[in-house]
Amino acid sequence: MKSAFWPLFLMATLFSCDKSTDKSPEERKILDEKHAAVADSLAEVKKAQECDCTQVPCVAVTFDDGPGPYTEQILDILKQNDAHATFYVLGKNVLNFPHILQRTHAEGHDIGNHSWDHKNLKSLSAEKVAFEVNETNAQVQKTIGKMPTSFRPPYGSYSKKTADIANMPVIIWSVDTNDWRYRTHAHLVKAVQAAKANDVILMHDIHKNTMETLPDVLKILKDKGLHIVSVETLFKKQGLKPKETYGLHPDKGPYQPKPDSTAATKTAAAPAPAKKAHPSKKAVLKH
Ligand code: NI
């Protein structure tokens, strides 16, 4: 075995080509376009395999703030469970992890816009809001050849003005797992146990605990008889329209940045002081 290894290795080295230098820019562009077309076809096939949520109970699982170091493991777990999710990505992270976004798209998950670098859009000028949204859309388009299908403002903080500028469907959430704050298996599992049909569940693919707990999260949802689908599939019947808001908990009204009201959160810790309470602020500091 040992004697056969080196000749084979040398042959492979001699006959292999350096993919980064042996193509002209035009040839590379054509190959990139072909690659994007194949990824798009794969994504369409995967999408077509999703459930009809008018016939079966569905739930949308969403991940914010990536792509990041745990996203690929999350994709592996979703694939093992035949589940589709929606990833609300930051433009700056797409720039850092383009191959992860390409894989996410090719495996049939929805890609949503979560701004360029997670600023509170309500505190920005119209020009800066437009930059946050448009630059991220452009980066996603450049990376996967397709625009994001919906928008989730950082902190769930938006106004009519920001929704008008974004000019995309605005997706909030109805189950806030607070996975960014209580990074334990027990908390995440308890939070997800509250989910029911038509809920939009908020998690973050930048946290290790979220990735490690995901198999149990998916099992809980499946045991409830819920089919795990992308946001676009969940709202397929009513259709997603630009500037309109979807996913809010019907009993809670507009999102307020305060501790979640689930039993899990009540018992997990004393409520944080109001100024400290915002989720993604901590996430931003971490990233
Ligand atoms: Ni966020």
Side-chain angles (χ1 to χ4, degrees):
M1 285 298 283
K2 206 173 177 183
S3 59
F5 173 78
W6 285 108
L8 284 173
F9 174 78
L10 286 172
M11 277 176 71
T13 309
L14 283 172
F15 293 109
S16 66
C17 62
D18 180 350
K19 292 188 177 104
S20 64
T21 57
D22 71 337
K23 300 282 186 295
S24 70
E26 291 73 25
E27 286 172 321
R28 286 169 62 81
K29 188 165 178 274
I30 291 167
L31 281 174
D32 284 348
E33 283 170 0
K34 282 186 178 169
H35 184 266
V38 170
D40 258 351
S41 305
L42 274 174
E44 273 176 36
V45 170
K46 296 275 179 193
K47 196 88 163 173
Q49 290 168 345
E50 283 198 69
C51 301
D52 178 351
C53 297
T54 63
Q55 304 298 317
V56 294
C58 294
V59 68
V61 166
T62 66
F63 296 96
D64 286 12
D65 298 357
Y70 305 113
T71 309
E72 290 213 88
Q73 284 156 290
I74 285 176
L75 291 174
D76 291 342
I77 296 164
L78 290 169
K79 190 187 274 184
Q80 285 154 16
N81 284 273
D82 196 23
H84 283 155
T86 304
F87 291 79
Y88 286 97
V89 299
L90 297 180
K92 66 169 188 176
N93 288 347
V94 172
L95 197 60
N96 291 331
F97 300 101
H99 60 288
I100 299 182
L101 195 78
Q102 286 159 355
R103 179 182 163 193
T104 307
H105 171 57
E107 293 185 3
H109 304 288
D110 277 4
I111 307 296
N113 180 329
H114 194 45
S115 83
W116 183 261
D117 55 1
H118 216 279
K119 290 193 176 76
N120 184 337
L121 301 188
K122 275 168 83 175
S123 68
L124 300 184
S125 66
E127 290 72 25
K128 285 184 176 165
V129 171
F131 171 87
E132 289 282 329
V133 175
N134 298 338
E135 199 68 11
T136 302
N137 280 343
Q139 193 63 42
V140 170
Q141 166 84 43
K142 189 178 159 192
T143 307
I144 62 169
K146 200 177 172 220
M147 293 274 272
T149 47
S150 59
F151 176 64
R152 173 173 283 163
Y155 316 110
S157 168
Y158 69 106
S159 62
K160 186 175 181 311
K161 185 185 90 173
T162 49
D164 283 351
I165 294 170
N167 197 24
M168 300 171 76
V170 177
I171 312 291
I172 309 297
W173 53 82
S174 53
V175 174
D176 187 351
T177 63
N178 277 303
D179 63 334
W180 60 272
R181 185 189 298 171
Y182 307 113
R183 299 182 198 180
T184 67
H185 180 276
H187 175 81
L188 185 49
V189 156
K190 261 192 174 180
V192 170
Q193 276 163 348
K196 55 192 184 317
N198 300 319
D199 268 332
V200 177
I201 301 174
L202 169 65
M203 292 187 281
H204 297 80
D205 52 326
I206 56 172
H207 298 308
K208 192 176 180 208
N209 179 66
T210 300
M211 178 273 289
E212 288 174 343
T213 310
L214 188 60
D216 289 340
V217 164
L218 299 178
K219 183 174 187 311
I220 289 167
L221 298 174
K222 285 182 169 183
D223 287 349
K224 283 171 177 274
L226 298 169
H227 296 260
I228 302 154
V229 298
S230 63
V231 157
E232 209 170 275
T233 298
L234 184 69
F235 294 105
K236 192 172 183 180
K237 190 185 173 195
Q238 65 192 99
L240 293 174
K241 299 178 191 71
K243 305 178 192 177
E244 290 198 14
T245 304
Y246 303 83
L248 286 166
H249 193 289
D251 302 329
K252 286 185 184 166
Y255 171 74
Q256 298 294 327
K258 61 187 178 187
D260 178 73
S261 62
T262 62
T265 322
K266 279 178 191 165
T267 55
K275 284 205 167 175
K276 207 180 158 190
H278 213 292
S280 312
K281 252 178 197 163
K282 190 167 179 183
V284 169
L285 290 174
K286 291 267 171 197
H287 292 266

